[in-house]
Structure formats: C-alpha cells, structure tokens
Amino acid sequence: MNLTVNQNVILESLVADNLVSDPSSARGRLLKEAARLFRDKGYERTTVRDLAAAVGIQSGSLFHHFRTKEEILKAVMVETIQLNTAVMQGAMDQAETDRDKLHALILSELESINGQTGEAMAVLVYEWRSLSKEGQEEVLALRDIYEQLWLDVLTSLAAQGVIRADPFVTRRMLTGALSWTVTWYRVDGGMTLSDLTGQVIAMLGLDQKPS
Amino acid sequence: MNLTVNQNVILESLVADNLVSDPSSARGRLLKEAARLFRDKGYERTTVRDLAAAVGIQSGSLFHHFRTKEEILKAVMVETIQLNTAVMQGAMDQAETDRDKLHALILSELESINGQTGEAMAVLVYEWRSLSKEGQEEVLALRDIYEQLWLDVLTSLAAQGVIRADPFVTRRMLTGALSWTVTWYRVDGGMTLSDLTGQVIAMLGLDQKPS
DNA sequence: CGATACCAAGCAAGCGCTTGGTTTGTAAAT
DNA sequence: ATTTACAAACCAAGCGCTTGCTTGGTATCG
C-alpha cells in the first residue's frame, strides 16, 4: 500500500476531470508556490508581489489568472480538499475491518499533512479566517464529505465498544492532534509516518486487543 | 477545586509582582482587547486603529504604552504564559497521584484555552509566526517551563505502563487536540470542561483501570 | 487573426508610526 | 488650602511607505 503512488494516480484523474489544476501548468505552479508562501509567512504577510516573484512574473500579471488574491487562497484550499478526499476514499476502499479503516484514515491524514500536500493542508487549517464568509462556506461544504468518512468509522468502533469516548469528540481531538504534527514532525527525524500512526493507535489504547 | 477562583487569586499575586498587567489598568485593558481582536481577525488584519478604537483612544496614543505593534502581541503572549504556568503549577500541587496530575493538567489547559484567558491562548497558538525571531525565542523559553510540567507526569505514567505511547509524542498530540478545542467547543453546548476532560481520559483509554 | 499570457507603470487606499502640543493626575512647596 | 511643578496620558494631523489591483499596450502561438 504505497500511498505516494496512489496519490499520483488519483491526482491525474482529478486533473483530467478539471477538479484540480495540473501541477505543471502555470496555474498549478502558482498554487503550489502560494501554498508554500502562505504556510511560511501567512496569507496576510504574503504580498501579490511575493506570489508573482515566486513564479517569475510581474505582480499585475497574477490577475490574469485570478481575479483577487483571496481567490488564490480559496483555490489552494478547494483543490487540496478535493485531492485529499479522493486519496482518503481510495485508502478506505482497500481496508476491510473498522480497525484497519481507522488505521488507514490516520495514516492518510498524516500523509496529507506531512507529505506533498502538506503546505496546502497547513494553509487549510491555519488560514481559515482569511477567507471571506462565502469562501468559508464553500470550503466547509467540501469538508463535510471528508469528515463523514471519519465519523462513519468512529461511530462503528464506538458501537463495538472498541473506543469509549464520543465519536464526534474523538474526531475533533484527532483533527487537532494530527494537524498539529505539521508544527513539529519532520521526516528526517528518524520516525516514519507509519511509526507515528502506530503511536496514535497506542495513545488511543487500541494496540492491545487485536481484532 | 474551583479553578476560576484559584486563577483570580494567582492573578493578583502576579500583578503584585509586576509579572502581569492589572486588567483594570489602561495597559491591561488594551492587552485584553488586543487578545480578542488578534484572535478574531488575526494579528496582521488588526490595525493599530482597531486596537486604539477598542479602548477609546487615538491610534497614535498607543505608542505611548508600547513602542511597536509587535510589542503588544508579545506582551499578550508573555503575560498569558506567566499566568497559566502559575495556575497550572497550583493545580498540580493539589494533585497526589500521577493519574490525578494528568487529569489536573488536562482540565487546567482546557480552562486556559476555553476560559478567561482563551482569547490570549488562541493568539499564543495561532499567531506564532507574526512574532520576530527574538520574540519567538523569548516566548519559547517561558513555554519550556510549562511543558516540563507535562513531560514529568507523562514520563512517569509511561514508566508505570499506564500509557504506552511515547511521552513526547503524547504531549504533542495532546497539545494539538486540546488547543483545537478553541475552534469548536462552546460552554453553552451542554458539555462542561469537566465532561470534556473525562472524554479525553476515555480517549486515552485511562478510564478503565482506576489507580 | 484572435485569444492567451504577459509587462510597465502607477493609482487610491490603508498601513505603522512620528511629531508637536494639550490635558490630566499627583504630590511637594508655599 | 492654594499654588507650583512635572511627568504621564492623550489628541490632531499627517508622513512615508506598502498594499491589492487597474490600465493600456505588447509578445507569443495555434
């Protein structure tokens, strides 16, 4: 189960459906650089001149591709959700038991946050306020689909007595815990994302009674 | 064990030691409003005119109290850490077993995040990047003291086999999980912070074998 | 030829912060 | 009890700079 390869296959199909920009296109490269800058400096501290310089054009030329700076932020968020929902759905389809599904969800989200789409995921989590109200609602609707994948599995596990905390609370705690890894986890620190997934499972006390 | 009362007693002693501004002073009121604005709009989107208007003075008059806008942000962060470290230390001193101490730590942090100092705590977590490098280091040093309280308890619990995940990883996961509550937890939602603490304990699988 | 992608220049607005001067609070001197 | 002295707190005005974005024109390419 190599998630990286999986992600690229899914990416291609989403690009074909025009749901996600081709990373090699001008628009795609801009979104990639925007995600990096927004994560590093924050949306507000990143100027349109920064964005333009990152892809080697003049600041005014940005507005040929996007009408406003905020539209760039929204595109980063929307495309990231689209991609990661699809990747996660794929990982879920390969798992059989609910325990396996939970494992897949955790690993999948850690890959999203700390892998190729990590910069954009950090933006999604920490630049929420910079979106207009309408933008927030649009993103929120997409996010609901993603969240339902989690809730289905956690509710099922709770019904089986495998977890004892409330599924909704558990999901929210895991959202915080996993997204926070972006602030401290480094791939080169000797701990793989698979190791980290194991740590989360152990923290939840699910490492003792195998299914 | 009423944390709110406890917090006010500790607050007074910190004010007496000049470690924290008196909330009724001009400086104290400004910091309170600044925390609220920084949390709601973000540091960058909050202008010095917003800050001044919130306390009913002209924007230029702010610079009689603080040399720069960033100094306001730093003061919000530093004073919040000072207060919450003291409150948490107090809660720890009252607990006996390590399990009780962990319970106290979780409840204490939830009170910090969702109680009176919630706005400032959110700023501390989410406006980190807006501080200069020197400011970050200063805040980080204070934070280490705070974090050591957690690590001592978690390491002890791990040695006893009560928790099986790595103490450092566990703390980081809990940092994310607990600070994330600021985005969804509401006091009026029928769930107290004590309930929420119980949920976290249950999520960690620590609700089954009482000490 | 027509659309797409870009540049060069700059505008209006908003930003953090400064300046010079006025009011207010306080406490010692008369 | 009133005056004097002085620092702290504040206002009114605005400076210099950066911001997101616009405009009019020029390459590039199927």
Side-chain angles (χ1 to χ4, degrees):
Chain A
M1 182 171 60
N2 189 322
L3 275 175
T4 305
V5 166
N6 206 358
Q7 188 168 326
N8 286 337
V9 171
I10 290 170
L11 175 58
E12 281 170 31
S13 93
L14 288 175
V15 168
D17 294 350
N18 254 335
L19 288 172
V20 169
S21 305
D22 185 343
S24 64
S25 72
R27 182 187 160 101
R29 277 184 296 115
L30 175 63
L31 289 180
K32 173 82 178 161
E33 291 298 320
R36 190 178 55 79
L37 285 166
F38 289 164
R39 187 200 58 175
D40 290 349
K41 310 175 54 168
Y43 172 76
E44 296 292 340
R45 290 176 97 94
T46 304
T47 68
V48 293
R49 288 166 179 81
D50 291 334
L51 292 168
V55 290
I57 59 175
Q58 293 294 329
S59 67
S61 305
L62 276 186
F63 296 90
H64 174 73
H65 299 280
F66 298 90
R67 275 180 315 192
T68 63
K69 181 187 170 190
E70 191 193 321
E71 202 173 79
I72 300 177
L73 176 63
K74 201 176 77 178
V76 167
M77 292 182 169
V78 167
E79 295 205 358
T80 304
I81 295 191
Q82 302 274 27
L83 176 57
N84 281 306
T85 302
V87 168
M88 184 160 283
Q89 185 65 257
M92 289 285 289
D93 292 346
Q94 292 176 22
E96 292 190 4
T97 69
D98 285 327
R99 279 170 182 272
D100 286 347
K101 286 182 180 176
L102 180 63
H103 192 281
L105 284 171
I106 295 171
L107 180 56
S108 226
E109 192 154 300
L110 285 172
E111 291 264 12
S112 300
I113 292 163
N114 301 98
Q116 291 183 61
T117 62
E119 285 149 354
M121 282 293 284
V123 171
L124 188 53
V125 172
Y126 295 109
E127 300 298 333
W128 187 253
R129 279 175 315 198
S130 297
L131 263 192
S132 67
K133 211 163 199 172
E134 306 83 63
Q136 289 187 14
E137 283 167 13
E138 187 175 333
V139 171
L140 202 61
L142 290 171
R143 202 152 158 162
D144 280 346
I145 303 167
Y146 182 95
E147 289 300 316
Q148 199 55 48
L149 292 173
W150 277 90
L151 290 174
D152 288 345
V153 173
L154 289 172
T155 303
S156 179
L157 284 170
Q160 299 164 39
V162 177
I163 65 172
R164 278 176 310 283
D166 176 79
F168 291 88
V169 173
T170 303
R171 169 53 186 155
R172 281 162 166 165
M173 292 288 173
L174 284 174
T175 301
L178 299 180
S179 62
W180 189 248
T181 60
V182 80
T183 65
W184 61 270
Y185 175 79
R186 292 290 104 92
V187 185
D188 55 1
M191 185 188 262
T192 66
L193 287 178
S194 195
D195 293 337
L196 194 50
T197 304
Q199 289 283 327
V200 175
I201 297 287
M203 193 180 74
L204 296 176
L206 302 185
D207 57 334
Q208 287 202 312
K209 20 173 191 175
S211 60
Chain B
M1 182 171 60
N2 189 322
L3 275 176
T4 306
V5 166
N6 206 358
Q7 187 168 327
N8 285 337
V9 171
I10 290 170
L11 175 58
E12 281 169 32
S13 93
L14 289 175
V15 168
D17 294 349
N18 254 335
L19 288 172
V20 169
S21 305
D22 185 343
S24 63
S25 71
R27 182 187 160 100
R29 277 184 296 117
L30 175 62
L31 290 179
K32 173 82 179 162
E33 292 298 320
R36 190 178 56 79
L37 285 166
F38 289 164
R39 187 200 58 175
D40 290 348
K41 310 175 55 169
Y43 172 77
E44 296 293 339
R45 290 175 97 93
T46 304
T47 69
V48 293
R49 287 165 180 82
D50 291 334
L51 292 168
V55 290
I57 60 175
Q58 294 293 330
S59 66
S61 306
L62 275 186
F63 297 90
H64 174 74
H65 300 280
F66 298 91
R67 277 181 312 194
T68 63
K69 181 186 170 191
E70 190 193 322
E71 203 173 79
I72 300 176
L73 176 63
K74 200 176 77 177
V76 167
M77 292 183 168
V78 168
E79 295 205 358
T80 303
I81 295 191
Q82 303 273 26
L83 176 57
N84 282 307
T85 303
V87 169
M88 184 161 283
Q89 185 66 257
M92 289 285 290
D93 292 346
Q94 292 175 22
E96 294 190 4
T97 69
D98 284 328
R99 279 170 181 272
D100 286 347
K101 286 183 181 177
L102 180 62
H103 191 281
L105 285 171
I106 294 171
L107 180 57
S108 230
E109 192 153 301
L110 285 173
E111 292 264 12
S112 300
I113 291 163
N114 301 98
Q116 291 182 61
T117 61
E119 285 149 354
M121 283 293 285
V123 171
L124 188 53
V125 172
Y126 295 109
E127 299 298 334
W128 187 253
R129 278 175 315 199
S130 296
L131 264 192
S132 67
K133 211 163 200 173
E134 307 84 63
Q136 289 187 12
E137 282 166 14
E138 187 175 334
V139 171
L140 202 60
L142 291 171
R143 203 152 158 161
D144 280 345
I145 304 168
Y146 182 94
E147 290 300 316
Q148 199 56 49
L149 291 174
W150 277 90
L151 289 174
D152 288 346
V153 173
L154 288 173
T155 303
S156 178
L157 284 170
Q160 298 164 40
V162 178
I163 64 172
R164 278 175 310 282
D166 177 78
F168 291 88
V169 172
T170 303
R171 169 53 185 155
R172 282 164 165 164
M173 292 288 173
L174 283 175
T175 301
L178 299 181
S179 62
W180 189 248
T181 61
V182 80
T183 66
W184 61 270
Y185 175 79
R186 292 290 103 92
V187 185
D188 55 0
M191 185 188 260
T192 66
L193 287 177
S194 195
D195 293 337
L196 194 50
T197 304
Q199 289 282 327
V200 175
I201 297 287
M203 194 180 74
L204 297 176
L206 301 185
D207 57 334
Q208 287 202 311
K209 20 173 190 175
S211 61

